[in-house]
C-alpha cells in the first residue's frame, strides 16, 4: 500500500450535502501521481453520490505540496485556523480549510 483516502459525510439534513476527506501517500511514493489518482477517483465518485454537492478538507499550512495538489484539482481556501497544530515547542502550523463544489 502506498497511500490511503478516507471520506465521510455527516448524516444530518443541513450538512449532508458536504463530505470531508483525508488522504496520505507514503513519503517514498510522493510525486509519483498517486495523490492525483486518489483525488481523481474521489471527485469522480463524489459526482455520482446522491445529494453530495461539496467536498471539504483540512491541510496544514506547511504542507505546500499538498496545497498545490488540491489547488490543481480546483479546491479553494475557505478559512484558516491560526496555530491549529503544534509541531514542537514554539513551532506551529496553521490549519487551512479548503473546499470544492462538484
Amino acid at each position: 500500500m502506498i497511500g490511503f483516502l478516507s471520506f465521510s459525510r455527516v448524516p444530518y439534513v443541513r450538512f449532508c450535502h458536504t463530505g470531508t476527506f483525508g488522504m496520505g501517500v507514503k513519503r517514498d511514493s510522493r510525486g509519483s501521481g498517486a495523490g492525483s489518482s486518489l483525488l481523481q477517483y474521489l471527485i469522480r465518485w463524489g459526482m455520482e453520490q446522491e445529494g453530495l454537492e461539496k467536498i471539504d478538507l483540512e491541510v496544514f499550512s506547511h504542507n505546500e505540496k499538498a496545497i498545490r495538489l488540491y489547488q490543481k484539482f480546483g479546491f479553494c481556501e475557505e478559512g484558516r485556523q491560526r496555530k491549529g497544530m503544534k509541531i514542537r515547542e514554539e513551532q506551529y502550523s496553521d490549519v487551512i480549510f479548503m473546499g470544492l463544489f462538484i
Side-chain angles (χ1 to χ4, degrees):
M1 181 165 81
I2 62 169
F4 73 92
L5 188 145
S6 64
F7 180 84
S8 63
R9 278 172 90 171
V10 178
Y12 305 118
V13 173
R14 295 179 188 239
F15 298 101
C16 68
H17 68 287
T18 68
T20 304
F21 81 95
M23 66 180 272
V25 175
K26 283 177 109 175
R27 191 173 308 277
D28 60 348
S29 296
R30 293 178 188 160
S32 69
S36 290
S37 293
L38 288 168
L39 280 176
Q40 284 173 344
Y41 181 86
L42 171 66
I43 293 167
R44 204 170 27 244
W45 174 85
M47 290 177 170
E48 297 170 355
Q49 302 310 301
E50 185 176 336
L52 184 63
E53 300 173 20
K54 186 174 180 223
I55 300 172
D56 295 317
L57 68 92
E58 297 177 11
V59 62
F60 301 123
S61 61
H62 68 275
N63 194 346
E64 295 171 5
K65 287 184 179 181
I67 293 167
R68 282 193 303 274
L69 176 65
Y70 299 139
Q71 289 171 335
K72 178 176 119 177
F73 281 87
F75 286 86
C76 296
E77 183 173 334
E78 297 183 331
R80 186 177 283 251
Q81 181 184 24
R82 309 301 271 167
K83 295 184 176 183
M85 183 182 90
K86 189 170 188 174
I87 299 170
R88 60 182 68 86
E89 197 63 38
E90 304 292 323
Q91 187 178 1
Y92 300 87
S93 182
D94 293 351
V95 176
I96 298 174
F97 302 96
M98 300 181 82
L100 173 69
F101 287 94
I102 55 172

